[in-house]
Coordinates of all heavy atoms in Angstrom, one line a residue:
R218 N 203.8 146.4 37.6 CA 203.3 147.6 36.8 C 203.0 148.8 37.7 O 203.1 149.9 37.2 CB 202.0 147.2 36.0 CG 202.3 146.1 35.0 CD 201.1 145.6 34.3 NE 201.3 144.3 33.6 CZ 200.4 143.5 33.0 NH1 199.2 143.9 33.0 NH2 200.8 142.4 32.5
F219 N 202.7 148.6 38.9 CA 202.5 149.8 39.8 C 203.7 150.6 39.9 O 203.7 151.9 39.8 CB 202.1 149.3 41.2 CG 200.7 148.5 41.2 CD1 200.7 147.2 40.9 CD2 199.6 149.2 41.6 CE1 199.5 146.5 41.0 CE2 198.4 148.5 41.6 CZ 198.3 147.2 41.3
A220 N 204.9 150.0 40.1 CA 206.1 150.7 40.2 C 206.4 151.4 38.9 O 206.9 152.6 38.9 CB 207.3 149.8 40.6
A221 N 206.2 150.8 37.8 CA 206.5 151.4 36.5 C 205.6 152.6 36.2 O 206.1 153.6 35.7 CB 206.3 150.3 35.4
A222 N 204.3 152.5 36.6 CA 203.4 153.7 36.4 C 203.8 154.8 37.3 O 203.9 156.0 36.9 CB 202.0 153.2 36.7
S223 N 204.2 154.5 38.5 CA 204.6 155.6 39.4 C 205.9 156.3 38.9 O 206.0 157.5 39.0 CB 204.9 155.0 40.8 OG 205.3 156.0 41.7
A224 N 206.8 155.5 38.4 CA 208.1 156.0 37.9 C 207.9 157.0 36.7 O 208.7 157.9 36.5 CB 209.0 154.9 37.5
D225 N 206.8 156.7 36.0 CA 206.5 157.6 34.8 C 205.6 158.8 35.2 O 205.1 159.5 34.4 CB 205.8 156.8 33.7 CG 206.8 156.0 32.9 OD1 207.9 156.4 32.8 OD2 206.3 155.0 32.3
G226 N 205.4 159.0 36.5 CA 204.7 160.2 37.0 C 203.2 160.0 37.2 O 202.5 161.1 37.4
F227 N 202.7 158.8 37.0 CA 201.2 158.7 37.3 C 201.0 158.7 38.8 O 201.7 158.1 39.6 CB 200.7 157.3 36.7 CG 200.6 157.4 35.2 CD1 201.5 156.8 34.4 CD2 199.5 158.0 34.6 CE1 201.4 156.8 33.0 CE2 199.3 158.0 33.2 CZ 200.3 157.4 32.4
D228 N 199.8 159.3 39.2 CA 199.4 159.3 40.6 C 198.3 158.3 40.8 O 198.0 158.1 42.0 CB 198.9 160.7 40.9 CG 200.0 161.8 40.8 OD1 201.1 161.5 41.2 OD2 199.6 162.8 40.3
A229 N 197.7 157.7 39.8 CA 196.6 156.8 40.0 C 196.6 155.7 38.9 O 197.3 155.8 37.9 CB 195.3 157.6 39.9
V230 N 195.9 154.6 39.3 CA 195.8 153.5 38.3 C 194.4 153.0 38.3 O 193.6 153.2 39.2 CB 196.8 152.3 38.7 CG1 198.2 152.8 38.7 CG2 196.5 151.8 40.1
E231 N 194.1 152.3 37.2 CA 192.9 151.5 37.1 C 193.3 150.2 36.4 O 194.4 150.1 35.9 CB 191.9 152.3 36.2 CG 192.4 152.6 34.8 CD 191.3 153.3 33.9 OE1 190.6 154.1 34.4 OE2 191.3 152.9 32.7
Y232 N 192.4 149.3 36.4 CA 192.6 148.0 35.6 C 191.3 147.3 35.5 O 190.3 147.7 36.2 CB 193.7 147.1 36.2 CG 193.7 147.0 37.7 CD1 192.7 146.3 38.4 CD2 194.7 147.6 38.5 CE1 192.7 146.2 39.8 CE2 194.7 147.6 39.8 CZ 193.7 146.8 40.5 OH 193.8 146.8 41.9
L233 N 191.2 146.2 34.8 CA 190.0 145.5 34.6 C 189.5 144.8 35.9 O 188.5 145.1 36.5 CB 190.1 144.5 33.5 CG 190.2 145.1 32.1 CD1 190.3 143.9 31.0 CD2 189.0 146.0 31.7
F234 N 190.3 143.9 36.4 CA 189.9 143.0 37.5 C 191.0 142.8 38.5 O 192.2 142.5 38.1 CB 189.4 141.7 37.0 CG 188.4 141.8 35.8 CD1 188.8 141.4 34.5 CD2 187.2 142.3 36.0 CE1 187.9 141.5 33.5 CE2 186.3 142.4 35.0 CZ 186.6 142.0 33.7
P235 N 190.7 142.9 39.8 CA 191.8 142.6 40.8 C 191.7 141.2 41.4 O 192.5 140.9 42.2 CB 191.4 143.6 41.9 CG 189.9 143.7 41.8 CD 189.5 143.5 40.4
Y236 N 190.7 140.4 41.0 CA 190.4 139.2 41.8 C 191.4 138.1 41.8 O 191.2 137.2 42.6 CB 189.0 138.8 41.3 CG 188.0 139.9 41.3 CD1 187.6 140.4 40.1 CD2 187.6 140.5 42.5 CE1 186.7 141.5 40.0 CE2 186.7 141.6 42.4 CZ 186.3 142.1 41.2 OH 185.5 143.2 41.2
A237 N 192.3 138.1 40.9 CA 193.4 137.1 40.9 C 194.4 137.3 42.0 O 195.3 136.5 42.2 CB 194.0 137.0 39.5
Y238 N 194.3 138.5 42.6 CA 195.3 138.9 43.6 C 194.6 139.2 44.9 O 193.5 139.6 45.0 CB 196.1 140.1 43.1 CG 196.8 139.9 41.8 CD1 196.2 140.1 40.6 CD2 198.1 139.4 41.8 CE1 196.9 139.8 39.4 CE2 198.8 139.1 40.7 CZ 198.2 139.3 39.5 OH 198.8 139.1 38.3
D239 N 195.4 139.1 46.0 CA 194.9 139.4 47.3 C 194.7 140.9 47.4 O 195.7 141.7 47.1 CB 195.9 138.9 48.4 CG 195.5 139.3 49.8 OD1 194.5 138.8 50.3 OD2 196.2 140.2 50.3
A240 N 193.6 141.4 48.0 CA 193.4 142.8 48.0 C 194.4 143.5 48.9 O 194.8 144.6 48.6 CB 191.9 143.1 48.5
T241 N 194.8 142.9 50.0 CA 195.7 143.5 50.9 C 197.1 143.7 50.2 O 197.8 144.7 50.3 CB 195.9 142.7 52.2 OG1 194.6 142.6 52.8 CG2 196.9 143.4 53.1
G242 N 197.5 142.7 49.4 CA 198.7 142.8 48.6 C 198.7 143.9 47.6 O 199.7 144.7 47.4

């Protein structure tokens, strides 16, 4: 979804929770 948002011209993202994923990734 990061790539898709960037492709549509967004410069920033938010979401509910990151904890299912490694922070470095």
Side-chain angles (χ1 to χ4, degrees):
R218 296 175 195 175
F219 295 83
S223 177
D225 280 335
F227 285 102
D228 298 318
V230 297
E231 62 176 37
Y232 41 71
L233 291 180
F234 310 110
Y236 310 107
Y238 299 90
D239 175 72
T241 302

